Amino acid sequence: MSLLNAAITGVQGWVPETVLSNQDLEKMVDTNDEWIRSRTGIIERRILKGKGKATSDMAVEAVDRLLKKTNTTKEEVELVIFATVTPDKVMPDTANTLCDKLGLVNAFGYDLKAACSGFIYAITTASQFIRTGMYKKVIVVGADKMSSIIDYQDRATCIIFGDGCGAVMLEPTEENVGFQDAVLKSDGSGRQFLYIKAGGSQNPTTEESARLREQYVFQDGRPVFKAAVKGMTSTIKELLQRNNLKKEDISWLIPHQANMRIINSVADMLDFPREKVTVNIHKYGNTTAGTIPLCLWEWENQFNKGDYIVLTAFGGGFTWGSVLIKWAYDNK
Ligand code: UT7
C-alpha cells in the first residue's frame, strides 16, 4: 500500500488577553524580574480569566479561526486529537467538549496526554490516520490552561507557566511534503521530577491533599533541565541522521518553550544558528502543549513550501522527541 503524505494545511493560535507580568509576580511571591528573565527568558505570560472558562474555550477560538482560514466546513472535520494536561474535566475528554461547542458534528475526538510533548505525540498520531487514507481532515490541538494547576504561592513553578492554544489542520497530499518522520521517547522513571501529587487514582483529592496544595504542579527543575537538553538534542540528531539530513538542510527549529537557556543550549550543542530557532517564551512563558503550535502560528509567514522544519519537545513523564516536517505551502 502506498502511503499518502500528511500535510499541515493551516495553523492558528489563540492566547487570552490577560497578561501576568514578572512585576505582577513580584507582588505574589519572593521573586524578581531580573531573576526570571535571566534564568528563564520569560517577561510575561497570558492567563485565561473568567468563571467557568476552560481549556476547550481557548481551543474554540483557535479552531474556529482555523476552519475559516482553511475554508473547511464544520461538517468536514473527521477527527480531533486534543493534546492537553489541563482537560476541562477528568472526564469526558476535552476534544468531545470542543466538538460540541463548535458544532463539529461528524468528528470524533479524544485527548492525548503527554505533557509538554503532547503536540508532537499528537501530530505524529494524527498523521498516521491521514497516511493510511483513513481520514482526510484531522485537527490537532495543543492547549493548556496551566494557571488552573499552578500554585501561585510556589515561586519555583508559578513564574514559568502560562495559558495558550494552537491548532493545525492535517490533510492528505500526494506531493512530497508534510509529516516525514518522528523520534519519540518516554521514560516513566522521570515522573518523580515533574508531576501533580493529588487528583489521580493513586491519591484522589481530599481536604488534606488540598490543604497541602497537592493539586498543583510540582517540579524539581534542575534534573528536568538537564534531561530536557539531552533528550531534545539526541532525538534531533537521530532524526537528522536517519533522514540523511545535515543541520544546514533545516530551515527552522521549533523547540518547546520551557526555558530560554534550554533552547539556547540545544541550538548550541547542535551548532544550529540561533536566528533559525523560533522563540516566543518571553511573551507566553511555557504553555505546555500549546508552545509548538503557537510558534508555528507566529512564524507561518516565514515558512516556504519545501522547508524542512524540526519540532522538538521535552516534558513531564518524562516524554520527549523530535518531529521532521516538510512545510506544504508558501507563505500567504
Ligand atoms: O516544560 C516542561 C519541562 N520543564 C522544563 O524544562 C523546566 C526545566 N527547569 C528549568 O527551567 C529551571 O530549572 C528552572 C527555571 C525551573 C529553575 O532554574 P534553575 O536555574 O535550575 O534554578 P534552581 O532551581 O537551581 O534555583 C537556583 C536558586 C535557588 O536558590 P539557592 O538555593 O541557590 O539559594 C532557588 O531557591 O534560585 C532560587 N529560586 C528563585 N529565586 C527567585 C528559585 N525560583 C526562584 C524565583 N525567584 N522564582
Side-chain angles (χ1 to χ4, degrees):
M1 183 177 68
S2 74
L3 294 174
L4 295 158
N5 281 315
I8 294 177
T9 55
V11 52
Q12 182 66 45
W14 191 84
V15 290
E17 259 176 52
T18 304
V19 171
L20 181 67
S21 68
N22 290 350
Q23 287 73 21
D24 295 329
L25 285 163
E26 283 177 359
K27 294 176 201 136
M28 297 158 72
V29 289
D30 179 16
T31 190
N32 59 79
D33 178 51
E34 203 283 322
W35 191 96
I36 302 172
R37 281 183 197 236
S38 61
R39 305 305 283 181
T40 70
I42 302 167
I43 298 173
E44 58 187 41
R45 55 298 287 139
R46 301 298 181 95
I47 303 294
L48 183 66
K49 292 280 184 196
K51 194 166 162 32
K53 286 286 178 195
T55 300
S56 68
D57 295 304
M58 296 193 288
V60 165
E61 299 291 345
V63 173
D64 196 28
R65 289 168 173 81
L66 179 69
L67 294 176
K68 293 190 178 95
K69 201 168 159 180
T70 55
N71 291 317
T72 308
T73 65
K74 293 180 175 176
E75 292 74 21
E76 284 177 301
V77 181
E78 295 166 289
L79 167 61
V80 175
I81 301 184
F82 200 124
T84 188
V85 287
T86 51
D88 289 15
K89 299 189 184 305
V90 172
M91 190 188 78
D93 278 10
T94 310
N96 308 147
T97 305
L98 169 69
C99 290
D100 180 54
K101 283 184 175 173
L102 256 186
L104 306 180
V105 286
N106 295 319
F108 80 104
Y110 55 90
D111 292 2
L112 191 153
K113 225 154 148 267
C116 301
S117 308
F119 185 78
I120 62 166
Y121 274 38
I123 200 164
T124 304
T125 307
S127 293
Q128 310 316 310
F129 285 106
I130 299 275
R131 282 156 68 88
T132 55
M134 195 167 180
Y135 299 117
K136 293 186 174 51
K137 302 255 185 208
V138 178
I139 291 175
V140 178
V141 181
D144 272 297
K145 183 188 170 189
M146 292 305 290
S147 61
S148 65
I149 55 168
I150 292 301
D151 184 352
Y152 287 92
Q153 294 180 14
D154 175 13
R155 70 175 184 174
T157 50
C158 73
I159 55 128
I160 299 170
F161 293 97
D163 303 340
C165 170
V168 299
M169 178 71 73
L170 281 179
E171 295 181 72
T173 175
E174 288 177 3
E175 286 187 77
N176 179 22
V177 290
F179 177 91
Q180 305 283 301
D181 196 9
V183 176
L184 302 178
K185 310 269 182 185
S186 62
D187 176 3
S189 69
R191 67 188 185 279
Q192 60 185 303
F193 301 115
L194 180 50
Y195 70 112
I196 298 175
K197 290 183 183 167
S201 58
Q202 185 194 33
N203 185 16
T205 307
T206 58
E207 275 181 35
E208 174 69 357
S209 73
R211 193 182 59 76
L212 295 170
R213 308 180 75 76
E214 291 180 345
Q215 71 273 39
Y216 297 121
V217 169
F218 164 84
Q219 176 170 250
D220 183 356
R222 280 188 199 185
V224 181
F225 187 111
K226 281 189 200 151
V229 174
K230 194 169 158 217
M232 290 198 272
T233 307
S234 63
T235 53
I236 294 169
K237 280 186 181 163
E238 190 178 335
L239 189 67
L240 295 189
Q241 198 175 26
R242 84 178 185 201
N243 287 277
N244 295 316
L245 293 170
K246 299 188 291 297
K247 65 175 194 301
E248 293 76 21
D249 299 319
I250 306 304
S251 299
W252 294 97
L253 177 62
I254 306 198
H256 168 54
Q257 310 282 303
N259 186 315
M260 195 60 230
R261 290 184 296 136
I262 295 179
I263 296 171
N264 286 340
S265 298
V266 171
D268 294 350
M269 281 176 78
L270 294 164
D271 196 20
F272 193 82
R274 287 190 185 179
E275 62 274 13
K276 285 161 69 177
V277 181
T278 62
V279 174
N280 59 15
I281 190 172
H282 52 290
K283 294 192 289 185
Y284 306 136
N286 181 348
T287 57
T288 302
T291 62
I292 289 178
L294 280 171
C295 281
L296 286 172
W297 173 54
E298 292 202 326
W299 268 263
E300 182 191 19
N301 287 336
Q302 298 189 52
F303 301 155
N304 287 302
K305 189 170 178 179
D307 281 354
Y308 276 117
I309 297 176
V310 170
L311 319 177
T312 189
F314 186 94
F318 290 146
T319 56
W320 71 101
S322 298
V323 169
L324 178 68
I325 55 177
K326 212 171 177 183
W327 199 247
Y329 54 92
D330 281 319
N331 55 65
K332 293 171 181 166

